[in-house]
Amino acid sequence: MEFGSAAFILALIQIIWVNILLSGDNAVVIALAARSLPAHQQKKAIVIGSAAAIVMRIILTLVAAQLLQLPWLKLIGSLLLLYIGVSLLMPEGEEDEGKLAKNGLMAAIRTILIADLVMSLDNVIAVAAAAMGNTVLLVLGLAISIPLVIFGSALLLKVIERFPLIVWAGAALLGFIAGELFVNDPALHAEALEASMGLTHHGAEIAAGVVGAIIVLAIGKVLMSRRGSGDQPA
């Protein structure tokens, strides 16, 4: 496939489009991670986090076929996503303001990178397929997607500021993705479990996703209630 040819341009458009479709959940994570930062650091976290996540996704795509066959990888990733989903629900108290000012930016970027790494395990397969083995095409397509992901994250951050309930919806989304990852791990041998329960693979994914979302929301609610009661004067 020659650079600039019709086939090259068509494949490039496909990569950009696929990445936009698959980056909606990543934009949610980026916006949630940046929401508690001071205003002057929010844009920096979005730009650095998005760019670093895309670069990491390029590297991940190059080795995706091998990584996805490793047992336990998705199970570990699902647990990480559950943890991130719950942690993003936690409000920042007065005692946390000093921490935010000192290392909040790096903490937000770290959260973005970990979540993007976990959620990209399946997404990169579609991008790699669209690239048809052309590394230049892969890198160019994902690089062009960077400003699109950044724009989506910045827009979502503004919406979150007006409608805080979206934070809970975003955390539930992470829990749902965690559940889907869990049942897709090769070590789980989910086919036998699906057959015994009379579920299709898609049905098992949805059921596990719902359970994951409920777990995140329930743990978040409990922790917030305990924190709120702990802040009450004796």
Side-chain angles (χ1 to χ4, degrees), residues 78-166:
S78 67
L79 295 178
L80 280 173
L81 275 188
L82 288 176
Y83 172 78
I84 291 173
V86 172
S87 65
L88 289 176
L89 288 175
M90 295 297 97
E92 306 296 341
E94 293 181 2
E95 69 278 6
D96 298 321
E97 291 180 357
K99 294 180 182 179
L100 274 177
K102 184 177 180 180
N103 57 14
L105 178 61
M106 293 308 300
I109 293 175
R110 184 171 61 249
T111 297
I112 291 168
L113 287 176
I114 294 175
D116 190 85
L117 172 64
V118 174
M119 293 189 297
S120 295
L121 289 176
D122 286 327
N123 295 359
V124 293
I125 292 297
V127 176
M132 293 178 288
N134 191 314
T135 304
V136 174
L137 186 59
L138 169 67
V139 173
L140 186 59
L142 290 178
I144 293 175
S145 303
I146 292 176
L148 301 176
V149 176
I150 292 174
F151 173 78
S153 304
L155 180 63
L156 187 58
L157 183 59
K158 294 184 181 297
V159 175
I160 288 175
E161 291 174 352
R162 293 194 60 183
F163 305 101
L165 189 62
I166 294 179

Side-chain angles (χ1 to χ4, degrees), residues 34-43 100-101:
R35 82 184 196 283
S36 297
L37 294 174
H40 69 280
Q41 288 188 339
Q42 287 181 348
K43 185 176 181 180
L100 274 177

Side-chain angles (χ1 to χ4, degrees), residues 14 20 24 26 38 49 52 59 94 98 111-112 120 131 153-154 176 202 207 210 213 219 223 226:
Q14 288 177 340
I20 291 173
N26 302 87
I59 298 172
E94 293 181 2
T111 297
I112 291 168
S120 295
S153 304
F176 189 90
H202 182 62
V210 171
I219 294 177
L223 292 179
R226 288 183 178 178

